Amino acid sequence: MAERTDVVFVDGVRTPFGRAGEKGMYWQTRADDLIVKAMIGLLERNPQLPKERVDDVAIAATTQQGDQGLTLGRTSAILAGLPKTVPGYAIDRMCAGAMTSVTTVAGAIAFGAYDVAIAGGVEHMGRHPMGFNADPNPRFLAERLVSEDALNMGRTAERIHDRFPHLTKERSDRFAMHSQHKAAAAYEAGKIQPDLVSVAVRSEQGWGLATKDEALRPETSMDALAALKTPFRPHGRVTAGNSSGLNDGATAALIASADAASELGLPAKMRLVSFAFAGVEPEIMGIGPVPSTEKALKKAGLTIDDIGLFDLNEAFAVQVLALLDHFGIDDEDPRVNSYGGAIAYGHPLASSGVRLMLQLARQFEEHPEVRYGLTAMCIGLGQGGSVIWENPHYDGKKGK
């Protein structure tokens, strides 16, 4: 059997993330236009890539309907100006849609079927709320396959607090506050803006330009977080402040074989080492990244101590804390989400996986002493996804 082909993350971009709903900046913007804008930005940043060399386009969305339906990979490829010879398809793994787009095309590249592919995701939660018009099979509840809580992400986060009482609301709030402050610092230092694609937006005031994430709250304090309501349970611990919001946005990444990247003069910002997905009880879906990370580490022949940088999706602060606690990592470990996370930037479900990768790739450039990094996220209905990456800038003389 032939050896697998090395897969690299060449480049990625995203739109600024907006607040979902009528007051959000993308309320009058189509979902497919968001992903097309991201794809055009990605292609413009890599002009040395002949468009006909793109072998496939995988675009994820959680609620695939209306302007977020119709086989997004194919329709967005056509709208983005790719040749009609380039095929495409749509993916749904809820929150890990874009992550699964990347791992799916990566598998095809590793097998030798593709050389270059575009992978990403879009979620317009204002136009298409999660689960809108979905019809869960009555057997789920009638046969007690899952509890009613499993279908409400906020309640699943409350259940993590129940299971691990030492993961207190105060710890969640503090983690959330730090996320906001780190995101503000990353913006101030110009770490985020290079990977953002501006989007023309229309409102009652006329046309404008979206250039920055809309939901950032750099002024967040512990006192303010302590005063927030707990909408999922009376006297609960999960609030709007220690959770990601409802958001709109899109991401797109260029994935290639190492040989094709070299041939075409494309950069290799990260090398894919391993990936894994795992299932857990849907009622506590937030712990999903624990078994998926264990599987990915085992596949790679690594341990958690080999990971020098972590970019973890902050669907809920307690969900990230559960992973850190499991692996014995401090809440404020500087290796974790050093640019902040979804609590600050937002979490437009199926697009978020590539945002994690963008931020990890930037951090790799700053940290040649780090060899391996992890992107991981929890996934609705009881799943976790983890991808381990290698830093091409690694200098063995500077670190492990």
Side-chain angles (χ1 to χ4, degrees), residues 107-375:
I109 292 168
F111 183 75
Y114 301 165
D115 292 322
V116 180
I118 291 174
V122 61
E123 207 73 53
H124 201 308
M125 299 180 77
R127 286 175 173 265
H128 310 292
M130 181 169 60
F132 187 69
N133 279 341
D135 180 18
N137 194 297
R139 287 183 54 218
F140 279 119
L141 300 183
E143 298 180 17
R144 298 186 179 179
L145 298 173
V146 300
S147 83
E148 194 172 348
D149 283 354
L151 305 179
N152 182 301
M153 300 302 105
R155 291 181 191 168
T156 66
E158 288 283 8
R159 281 181 172 243
I160 299 178
H161 277 292
D162 293 342
R163 180 168 290 199
F164 306 110
H166 59 284
L167 302 180
T168 61
K169 180 179 184 297
E170 182 182 2
R171 285 176 68 177
S172 283
D173 285 350
R174 191 170 303 281
F175 187 88
M177 179 183 70
H178 287 315
S179 178
Q180 293 284 356
H181 294 173
K182 287 189 286 188
Y187 257 103
E188 184 69 24
K191 308 291 188 187
I192 305 302
Q193 296 91 326
D195 295 326
L196 295 182
V197 175
S198 299
V199 179
V201 292
R202 187 159 53 94
S203 68
E204 293 177 359
Q205 289 73 43
W207 285 94
L209 198 63
T211 61
K212 184 176 181 179
D213 297 306
E214 191 175 21
L216 297 164
R217 297 185 298 274
E219 72 287 350
T220 298
S221 68
M222 289 295 286
D223 287 344
L225 290 170
L228 293 175
K229 296 177 180 178
T230 58
F232 305 108
R233 183 188 294 178
H235 311 294
R237 291 138 300 190
V238 178
T239 70
N242 59 32
S243 312
S244 59
L246 302 178
N247 304 95
D248 309 328
T251 60
L254 198 56
I255 310 298
S257 70
D259 288 345
S262 177
E263 173 204 341
L264 296 169
L266 296 167
K269 294 186 174 180
M270 302 192 291
R271 184 183 75 85
L272 181 61
V273 177
S274 71
F275 66 85
F277 294 91
V280 296
E281 297 168 49
E283 294 82 0
I284 50 161
M285 66 94 195
I287 66 167
V290 170
S292 63
T293 297
E294 289 177 331
K295 285 174 70 174
L297 287 168
K298 185 176 181 181
K299 291 281 185 186
L302 300 173
T303 71
I304 199 70
D305 295 332
D306 293 311
I307 305 300
L309 287 166
F310 297 79
D311 224 291
L312 309 174
N313 192 48
E314 300 167 357
F316 302 93
V318 69
Q319 163 261 316
V320 179
L321 293 177
L323 182 144
L324 299 180
D325 188 64
H326 176 84
F327 287 110
I329 300 170
D330 188 80
D331 293 6
E332 298 180 27
D333 191 306
R335 298 174 298 166
V336 178
N337 292 12
S338 62
Y339 290 178
I343 288 171
Y345 299 111
H347 175 27
L349 302 180
S351 66
S352 286
V354 166
R355 179 190 63 78
L356 305 177
M357 297 169 195
L358 300 181
Q359 293 186 192
L360 181 63
R362 287 287 170 192
Q363 292 167 61
F364 271 169
E365 293 174 2
E366 297 174 10
H367 294 282
E369 78 283 3
V370 170
R371 184 169 184 181
Y372 298 110
L374 172 75
T375 55

